[in-house]
Coordinates of all heavy atoms in Angstrom, one line a residue:
L269 N -29.8 54.8 64.9 CA -29.0 53.6 65.4 C -29.8 52.8 66.4 O -29.2 52.2 67.3 CB -27.7 54.0 65.9 CG -26.7 54.7 64.9 CD1 -25.4 55.1 65.6 CD2 -26.5 53.8 63.7
S270 N -31.1 52.9 66.3 CA -32.0 52.1 67.3 C -31.8 50.6 66.9 O -31.4 50.3 65.8 CB -33.4 52.6 67.1 OG -33.9 52.3 65.8
L271 N -32.3 49.8 67.8 CA -32.2 48.3 67.6 C -33.0 47.9 66.4 O -32.5 47.2 65.5 CB -32.7 47.6 68.8 CG -32.7 46.0 68.7 CD1 -31.3 45.5 68.4 CD2 -33.3 45.4 69.9
A272 N -34.2 48.5 66.2 CA -35.1 48.2 65.1 C -34.4 48.6 63.8 O -34.5 47.9 62.8 CB -36.4 48.8 65.2
E273 N -33.8 49.8 63.8 CA -33.1 50.3 62.6 C -32.0 49.4 62.2 O -31.7 49.1 61.0 CB -32.7 51.7 62.9 CG -32.3 52.5 61.6 CD -32.0 53.9 61.9 OE1 -30.8 54.3 62.2 OE2 -32.9 54.8 61.8
R274 N -31.2 48.9 63.2 CA -30.1 48.0 62.9 C -30.6 46.7 62.4 O -29.8 46.1 61.6 CB -29.3 47.8 64.2 CG -28.5 49.1 64.7 CD -27.7 48.8 65.9 NE -27.1 50.0 66.4 CZ -26.3 50.0 67.4 NH1 -26.0 48.9 68.1 NH2 -25.7 51.2 67.8
L275 N -31.7 46.3 62.8 CA -32.2 45.0 62.3 C -32.8 45.1 60.9 O -32.6 44.1 60.1 CB -33.4 44.5 63.2 CG -32.9 43.8 64.5 CD1 -34.2 43.6 65.4 CD2 -32.2 42.6 64.3
F276 N -33.4 46.2 60.5 CA -34.1 46.3 59.3 C -33.5 47.3 58.3 O -34.1 47.5 57.2 CB -35.6 46.6 59.5 CG -36.2 45.6 60.4 CD1 -36.6 45.9 61.7 CD2 -36.4 44.3 60.0 CE1 -37.3 45.0 62.5 CE2 -37.0 43.4 60.8 CZ -37.4 43.7 62.0
F277 N -32.4 48.0 58.6 CA -31.8 48.8 57.7 C -30.3 48.7 57.7 O -29.6 48.9 58.8 CB -32.1 50.3 57.9 CG -31.4 51.3 57.0 CD1 -31.9 51.5 55.7 CD2 -30.2 51.9 57.3 CE1 -31.3 52.4 54.8 CE2 -29.6 52.7 56.5 CZ -30.1 53.0 55.2
Q278 N -29.7 48.2 56.6 CA -28.2 48.0 56.5 C -27.8 48.7 55.2 O -28.5 48.6 54.2 CB -27.8 46.6 56.5 CG -28.1 45.8 57.8 CD -29.5 45.2 57.8 OE1 -30.0 44.9 56.7 NE2 -30.1 45.1 58.9
V279 N -26.7 49.3 55.2 CA -26.2 49.9 54.0 C -24.7 49.7 54.0 O -24.0 49.7 55.0 CB -26.5 51.5 54.0 CG1 -25.8 52.2 55.1 CG2 -26.1 52.1 52.7
R280 N -24.2 49.4 52.8 CA -22.7 49.2 52.6 C -22.1 50.4 51.9 O -22.6 50.8 50.8 CB -22.5 47.9 51.8 CG -21.0 47.6 51.5 CD -20.8 46.2 51.1 NE -21.1 45.3 52.2 CZ -21.1 44.0 52.1 NH1 -20.9 43.4 50.9 NH2 -21.4 43.2 53.1

Side-chain angles (χ1 to χ4, degrees):
L269 300 180
S270 66
L271 177 61
E273 195 173 87
R274 293 180 181 183
L275 282 173
F276 301 113
F277 177 82
Q278 299 87 30
V279 65
R280 179 164 293 174

